[in-house]
Amino acid sequence: MPRPIPPGWLRAFLRFAIWLVPAWTLATFVCGHLVFPADAAVTLGTGWTRAAVLGVWAGILGAFVETWVLPRFARRAPFGVTLLLRTMAYAVVVTLSFMGVIGFIARRELGLRPRDVLADEAFAAFLTSAEFTWFFILLLGASFLITLAFQVNRVLGPGTMKALLVGRYIRPVREERVCLFGDLKRDIVHSGDTLNTTARMEGMCGPLERRLLVSDTLLELCVLPTGFRSEEVGAVPLRGKNAPVRLFSVERNAPARPRDLAPDQRG
């Protein structure tokens, strides 16, 4: 049975692609310039065009790997194992992307079919040359740095690494934060009563048979997205809390059945 598409998958895929395509384009151009600096036949525009082609291929394939392939295997794996899996996956991505560049050069620049280029002896010699070996190694190194940046961002939490780079935390400010537990943030950087309460609420999901529980304080500060509803569970005593906490469950609205619709709403 085919795997169902998770909710929000397309949005996550596009978010990864928007960042990965320019990252891979820049990495490819820099690696190519380092390995082939004296290639006078390749103009600056041609170099950027080839880098963009590989960047698009690697960005799209990488976004698919990040949102569809790796979450199935690396969700609960240690940091080092996840990083290794990502590096291996991106080695495949680099290989497939390079094949896409070959097809682009063959069609647009040489007017040949890709299989004719692959069968050419000069191209075979290029693949076994020291320059291409170093180029491929540098691309693998770039893939390691890119995956490391994404993995660190996941550990710190979305947006935290960017905030560190721009110096947001040099001047501390008071902020209202929502504590949420499951896969985007694995490192606990908050402590105290807030995390204790959140952990106790998560532990009540099983006994109360609810997938998502929120406190009344949070619900008062939020506006639920369209298609979601809240239902009061009641004041629940939580371990470590002096007073019960009013909890609400948040669920998706059930799709309306045809018999529940008015006659003018039925198809």
Side-chain angles (χ1 to χ4, degrees), residues 37-174:
D39 193 350
V42 179
T43 64
L44 185 64
T46 301
W48 275 112
T49 301
R50 294 179 179 179
V53 173
L54 192 145
V56 170
W57 270 90
I60 293 176
L61 291 174
F64 178 78
V65 167
E66 292 287 349
T67 58
W68 189 265
V69 179
L70 287 177
R72 304 179 63 183
F73 305 100
R75 184 177 298 273
R76 299 188 180 279
F79 180 89
V81 174
T82 303
L83 185 60
L84 177 61
L85 289 175
R86 277 187 164 83
T87 303
M88 294 173 60
Y90 274 98
V92 178
V93 167
V94 169
T95 303
L96 295 178
S97 301
F98 185 74
M99 300 303 295
V101 174
I102 293 174
F104 173 81
I105 295 176
R107 287 288 187 183
R108 296 293 300 273
E109 299 182 16
L110 303 178
L112 301 174
R113 294 176 298 179
R115 64 181 181 181
D116 294 333
V117 176
L118 294 176
D120 186 72
E121 294 183 0
F123 179 73
F126 168 72
L127 291 181
T128 57
S129 65
E131 289 83 0
F132 175 77
T133 302
W134 277 112
F135 178 67
F136 195 80
I137 291 175
L138 287 177
L139 282 182
L140 291 182
S143 72
F144 176 81
L145 295 178
I146 292 173
T147 55
L148 177 63
F150 272 97
Q151 188 67 6
V152 170
N153 186 62
R154 290 175 68 88
V155 171
L156 295 178
T160 303
M161 186 167 66
K162 177 182 176 182
L164 288 172
L165 293 176
V166 300
R168 177 180 177 183
Y169 298 119
I170 294 178
R171 297 180 177 178
V173 296
R174 185 180 181 125

Side-chain angles (χ1 to χ4, degrees), residues 176-251:
E176 289 186 341
R177 293 280 182 160
V178 175
C179 287
L180 177 67
F181 285 176
D183 176 62
L184 286 179
K185 188 176 181 66
R186 299 185 179 185
D187 189 37
I188 299 177
V189 294
H190 301 280
S191 61
D193 182 67
T194 300
L195 266 236
N196 177 64
T197 302
T198 308
R200 304 300 177 228
M201 290 170 54
E202 183 193 29
M204 294 302 298
C205 289
L208 295 176
E209 298 183 351
R210 298 289 193 274
R211 296 189 62 186
L212 176 60
L213 292 175
V214 300
S215 65
D216 58 336
T217 304
L218 175 60
L219 196 60
E220 291 174 358
L221 297 175
C222 298
V223 178
L224 291 181
T226 303
F228 287 83
R229 60 183 176 85
S230 62
E231 178 183 350
E232 183 171 2
V233 176
V236 179
L238 301 178
R239 185 159 57 93
K241 301 292 291 183
N242 295 327
V245 178
R246 289 182 63 202
L247 299 182
F248 290 78
S249 66
V250 177
E251 300 176 352

